[in-house]
Amino acid sequence: MKGLGTNEQAIIDVLTKRSNAQRQEIAKSFKAQFGKDLTETLKSELSGKFERLIIALMYPPYSYEAKELYDAMKGLGTKEGVIIEILASRTKNQLREIMKAYEEDYGSSLEEDIQADTSGYLERILVCLLQGSRDDLSGFVDPGLALQDAQDLYAAGEKICGTDEMKFITILCTRSATHLMRVFEEYEKIANKSIEDSIKSETHGSLEEAMLTVVKCTRNLHSYFAERLYYALKGAGTRDGTLIRNIVSRSEIDLNLIKHQFNKMYGKTLSSMIMEDTSGDYKNALLNLVGNDL
């Protein structure tokens, strides 16, 4: 970055081939040696989508997700999709760390900001998801309760005129994934349609998106992320925010599993779609992060 022009390839090679912990160490050494903040220096040297991707890599993981949530709420209009994606797909522990980082970085409570920024049932489901009560790793399922939940969902939606949204929200947001899988099975027997079809016919807009996301993450988290990436790349224009966020935030968690699922679901590799859809330094950096496809 010194002198005229920037050696983008060197930046790509150094930053995309290290873990986040190593990037934090590099930033520390950079500051010690040159007295400058690495992220700020990168911002002044780079631009566009490439800058957005490289800067995303420089945040510690939970700070990055806190920033994405903050950006989704600040200014006019709220990007509900971003908030739904993060809150529905993270574990209780991850959510706790994100809340902590949010408070440290922005001096306010994530829960209060979400309440201030959303309303109605969407606000209820987001606040409910934030509690992270869906995590139960014991894998214990009470068949009686699963059947009861399925009957309650049917009674709250398909069976009556109008929908009891709170019943849906409570069951979707407070039961564990293994329990919900059983509930969805029982529901299908009672209603003769999938829980997804019922949600689509009973709700709409952001609330529908939030409920469907919970169902997708419950059924198969890797399929959910594969689908997010596919639709970020498919068709005219690329949803770069979604692409960057999902590749960066999953790169050290389960990106290989997501790539495998992507291939299975769409018959093509994630890297081949990135190659078709992006260009230049941005493309090279993304391909480095995604690595060789299976």
Side-chain angles (χ1 to χ4, degrees):
M1 293 188 274
K2 190 168 139 268
L4 282 172
T6 307
N7 181 350
E8 280 88 358
Q9 197 52 49
I11 292 172
I12 294 172
D13 288 340
V14 172
L15 298 180
T16 60
K17 295 191 172 158
R18 303 289 185 280
S19 68
N20 191 284
Q22 289 170 318
R23 288 192 289 269
Q24 303 310 320
E25 288 304 315
I26 292 168
K28 259 189 223 161
S29 305
F30 189 90
K31 184 114 196 205
Q33 281 185 45
F34 308 109
K36 286 178 174 177
D37 182 291
L38 179 53
T39 303
E40 292 308 318
T41 310
L42 286 163
K43 277 183 189 169
S44 66
E45 294 285 335
L46 311 174
S47 62
K49 302 166 192 174
F50 179 54
E51 175 194 349
R52 196 170 169 184
L53 172 61
I54 294 296
I55 298 309
L57 289 170
M58 293 312 301
Y59 279 88
Y62 299 117
S63 290
Y64 174 59
E65 289 168 64
K67 174 200 176 288
E68 286 291 295
L69 289 165
Y70 180 77
D71 288 349
M73 291 186 281
K74 80 169 204 265
L76 282 171
T78 303
K79 298 193 184 87
E80 284 95 353
V82 177
I83 306 172
I84 292 167
E85 174 203 289
I86 294 176
L87 300 195
S89 63
R90 301 314 195 252
T91 63
K92 186 173 194 159
N93 203 20
Q94 288 167 335
L95 288 170
R96 204 177 288 145
E97 293 296 333
I98 291 168
M99 286 193 275
K100 214 161 74 182
Y102 189 94
E103 194 138 346
E104 278 168 19
D105 296 347
Y106 305 106
S108 62
S109 142
L110 176 56
E111 185 171 330
E112 284 168 18
D113 286 359
I114 286 172
Q115 284 172 323
D117 226 66
T118 57
S119 59
Y121 292 118
L122 178 67
E123 175 197 334
R124 301 254 187 109
I125 195 168
L126 293 174
V127 169
C128 206
L129 285 171
L130 201 52
Q131 311 314 313
S133 21
R134 301 167 60 233
D135 257 23
D136 170 26
L137 303 175
S138 72
F140 172 74
V141 176
D142 174 343
L145 180 61
L147 181 61
Q148 184 62 56
D149 280 347
Q151 286 165 342
D152 287 353
L153 284 174
Y154 183 63
E158 291 294 334
K159 205 172 153 192
I160 52 170
C161 210
T163 311
D164 176 359
E165 285 88 353
M166 275 323 288
K167 182 55 79 179
F168 269 80
I169 290 170
T170 305
I171 293 173
L172 288 176
C173 296
T174 61
R175 308 289 196 260
S176 72
T178 32
H179 177 84
L180 281 176
M181 289 295 278
R182 182 70 178 259
V183 173
F184 299 159
E185 239 173 80
E186 295 292 352
Y187 183 88
E188 212 152 321
K189 288 181 202 162
I190 301 167
N192 284 323
K193 65 195 312 193
S194 70
I195 188 76
E196 286 92 334
D197 287 341
S198 286
I199 289 170
K200 284 173 193 165
S201 64
E202 297 292 322
T203 60
H204 59 272
S206 296
L207 179 63
E208 177 190 337
E209 188 188 342
M211 286 187 184
L212 286 175
T213 302
V214 173
V215 174
K216 284 174 188 171
C217 292
T218 301
R219 287 199 192 273
N220 188 328
L221 190 62
H222 303 127
S223 298
Y224 169 67
F225 284 119
E227 186 188 357
R228 287 291 281 174
L229 289 166
Y230 179 74
Y231 286 103
L233 288 160
K234 185 181 169 280
T238 305
R239 295 200 179 90
D240 295 290
T242 303
L243 185 63
I244 292 169
R245 184 175 56 258
N246 286 298
I247 287 178
V248 170
S249 67
R250 305 316 287 185
S251 62
E252 289 178 46
I253 301 176
D254 52 7
L255 191 53
N256 279 336
L257 295 164
I258 293 165
K259 278 165 28 182
H260 180 69
Q261 201 59 31
F262 189 98
N263 207 346
K264 220 162 89 175
M265 286 162 69
Y266 304 110
K268 49 171 87 174
T269 63
L270 175 57
S271 56
S272 70
M273 277 190 84
I274 290 172
M275 283 184 88
E276 286 163 22
D277 228 64
T278 60
S279 59
D281 297 318
Y282 178 50
K283 176 181 82 175
N284 294 339
L286 283 170
L287 288 174
N288 262 4
L289 288 168
V290 168
N292 289 332
D293 265 321
L294 311 162

